[in-house]
Amino acid sequence: MACVSFAKLNAPSSSWIGGQQSLPQRSGSSARLATRRVSLPIRAGAYTDELIKTAKTIASPGRGILAIDESNATCGKRLSSIGLDNTEPNRQAYRQLLLTTPGLGEYISGAILFEETLYQSTTDGKKFVDVLHDQKIVPGIKVDKGLVPLPGSNNESWCQGLDGLSSRSAEYYKQVSIPCGPSALAVKEAAWGLARYAAISQDNGLVPIVEPEILLDGDHPIERTLEVAEKVWAEVFYYLAENNVIFEGILLKPSMVTPGAEHKERANPETIAKYTLTMLKRRVPPAVPGIMFLSGGQSEMEATLNLHAMNQSPNPWHVSFSYARALQNTVLKTWQGRPENVEAAQKALLVRAKANSLAQLGKYSAEGESEEAKKGMFVKGYTY
């Protein structure tokens, strides 16, 4: 499980994570279903108005989330792809490149950080959290305790993290894969864990981002993905309601409904939009302010095209993005770890951020996209 919190826009950097009561751990599952959780400080009861306000700030027109909450190990794999060692100074340099990009706040409303990044500063000594605040970007924090086996399931696992929520603030992360399940146990445990996470977050002034991810692994058709997604989301919203979660004060981060990555037939953006919106309309109440899709290994351009296709007519919710690789792939390869390439890499980030901003508004065109943006990034069994 991963733990993430978004801070209030006006919160001082020294106190942006609210205190929380420690609660016993509730196991969740990952039949390779990825359920992630992110929180933004504010909440139910005394926090209700502020909670709703912050959720709407994240779900604002033409803006989405930059996810840079990869663990140090995963960040290290990305750095090694450009010949850099996985050291704290190299991770700091890369995150500084991303977070100090001029004009980023025009297209990005929230940034999910890994725990290490929360305490880092720029080379000039300015805290990254303050850099984000200056651009009106809501910062979030992820704390991941790792995967453990789920007893009695189809060889599935769950990510820990509800325990110690008081010292973290939460993004609860699980994964479900279609080929090996998901088992009824995995779905129930994932849904219950997500609901408890959301309720605890709201009780402590946090806006939870609930993220069940159906992984691309497998050769199944898009109809099977829709079937599994509807089953998972039905359970999630049942338990959210059982735990008295305020729907107006949460954000969702699902995967798009696509065929399995190894399926013989690829689906076009219009088909993916049709199936994804069908699932959302059947399962997600219109009270939820925002749907922030993850890219799940799609190419940069593919993720943008699919988002664009979903915004060709009005939706009950703000339909946007919370991308990691689909915003960073070209940036990383442009940078190559060289100081002289920082400006070019930041411009590459703005290109991708603007493209997805336009897609959120239904105004994106793929004309002029680079070959790099067209390359798929699916990795079988990928973990964050």
Side-chain angles (χ1 to χ4, degrees):
M1 142 177 161
C3 295
V4 179
S5 317
F6 278 113
K8 293 182 285 187
L9 286 172
N10 60 351
S13 61
S14 61
S15 61
W16 68 295
I17 296 181
Q20 302 165 353
Q21 179 182 3
S22 181
L23 288 146
Q25 165 181 306
R26 171 77 183 191
S27 59
S29 109
S30 134
R32 302 304 289 170
L33 151 83
T35 46
R36 291 166 77 94
R37 297 175 163 191
V38 181
S39 303
L40 312 157
I42 27 202
R43 151 40 191 170
Y47 300 107
T48 299
D49 291 343
E50 192 173 3
L51 184 156
I52 294 171
K53 179 180 178 181
T54 299
K56 288 182 177 179
T57 296
I58 299 293
S60 55
R63 301 172 83 203
I65 294 171
L66 169 63
I68 55 170
D69 56 338
E70 304 89 351
S71 67
N72 285 346
T74 300
C75 188
K77 292 178 183 178
R78 296 186 185 175
L79 293 175
S80 67
S81 72
I82 58 171
L84 292 183
D85 293 332
N86 185 16
T87 64
E88 194 276 339
N90 284 340
R91 294 192 297 270
Q92 185 276 343
Y94 179 54
R95 289 157 178 164
Q96 175 170 321
L97 181 161
L98 296 171
L99 299 179
T100 61
T101 297
L104 187 63
E106 183 176 352
Y107 313 115
I108 300 297
S109 55
I112 308 173
L113 313 177
F114 188 63
E115 184 178 20
E116 178 183 72
T117 317
L118 172 66
Y119 302 105
Q120 290 176 324
S121 301
T122 67
T123 51
D124 294 331
K126 188 170 186 176
K127 292 182 181 296
F128 283 153
V129 170
D130 293 331
V131 171
L132 292 171
H133 283 150
D134 287 349
Q135 293 222 53
K136 301 296 188 293
I137 298 173
V138 182
I141 175 64
K142 166 185 172 180
V143 179
D144 193 332
K145 297 185 67 178
L147 287 167
V148 295
L150 175 66
S153 68
N154 295 338
N155 196 30
E156 296 153 325
S157 56
W158 65 285
C159 253
Q160 305 173 84
L162 273 181
D163 57 314
L165 192 57
S166 60
S167 61
R168 284 189 297 273
S169 87
E171 172 189 298
Y172 193 53
Y173 177 79
K174 307 180 185 9
Q175 292 184 321
V176 166
S177 74
I178 293 175
C180 68
S183 68
L185 174 63
V187 172
K188 182 175 181 178
E189 287 298 311
W192 172 261
L194 282 170
R196 287 306 306 143
Y197 147 79
I200 294 167
S201 295
Q202 289 191 341
D203 281 342
N204 289 277
L206 305 173
V207 173
I209 295 183
V210 180
E211 180 182 339
E213 176 184 4
I214 310 298
L215 298 185
L216 292 176
D217 304 55
D219 60 0
H220 50 277
I222 194 169
E223 291 81 5
R224 174 59 177 158
T225 308
L226 175 63
E227 178 185 356
V228 172
E230 288 185 343
K231 179 179 181 181
V232 170
W233 277 107
E235 289 279 305
V236 168
F237 272 98
Y238 172 78
Y239 286 115
L240 287 173
E242 285 288 294
N243 281 274
N244 299 310
V245 171
I246 297 173
F247 291 166
E248 292 88 347
I250 66 173
L251 296 171
L252 305 185
K253 188 177 176 181
S255 48
M256 299 177 190
V257 177
T258 69
E262 299 163 85
H263 188 61
K264 59 184 178 181
E265 295 182 9
R266 308 240 343 144
N268 60 36
E270 290 72 28
T271 300
I272 290 172
K274 175 184 175 181
Y275 276 82
T276 303
L277 291 174
T278 294
M279 182 274 291
L280 293 175
K281 290 174 181 176
R282 289 174 176 175
R283 293 292 182 265
V284 181
V288 174
I291 313 291
M292 321 299 284
F293 282 103
L294 53 86
S295 55
Q298 301 176 74
S299 73
E300 291 178 332
M301 190 175 80
E302 193 176 18
T304 308
L305 281 169
N306 291 337
L307 179 63
H308 169 75
M310 282 185 270
N311 281 295
Q312 291 309 295
S313 59
N315 291 303
W317 338 264
H318 174 81
V319 175
S320 192
F321 60 94
S322 179
Y323 293 164
R325 288 174 286 172
L327 282 174
Q328 298 179 51
N329 188 53
T330 299
V331 177
L332 190 63
K333 294 182 178 181
T334 301
W335 178 46
Q336 292 293 318
R338 299 172 182 168
E340 64 270 23
N341 291 343
V342 166
E343 184 177 351
Q346 290 181 328
K347 288 180 179 178
L349 176 58
L350 281 184
V351 166
R352 293 261 47 92
K354 182 178 181 180
N356 286 291
S357 170
L358 291 171
Q360 196 288 310
L361 298 170
K363 300 178 180 180
Y364 167 73
S365 169
E367 184 178 353
E369 285 280 21
S370 68
E371 289 303 311
E372 190 61 48
K374 300 175 184 177
K375 294 181 180 178
M377 292 176 281
F378 169 72
V379 177
K380 190 172 184 177
Y382 181 78
T383 58
Y384 294 84

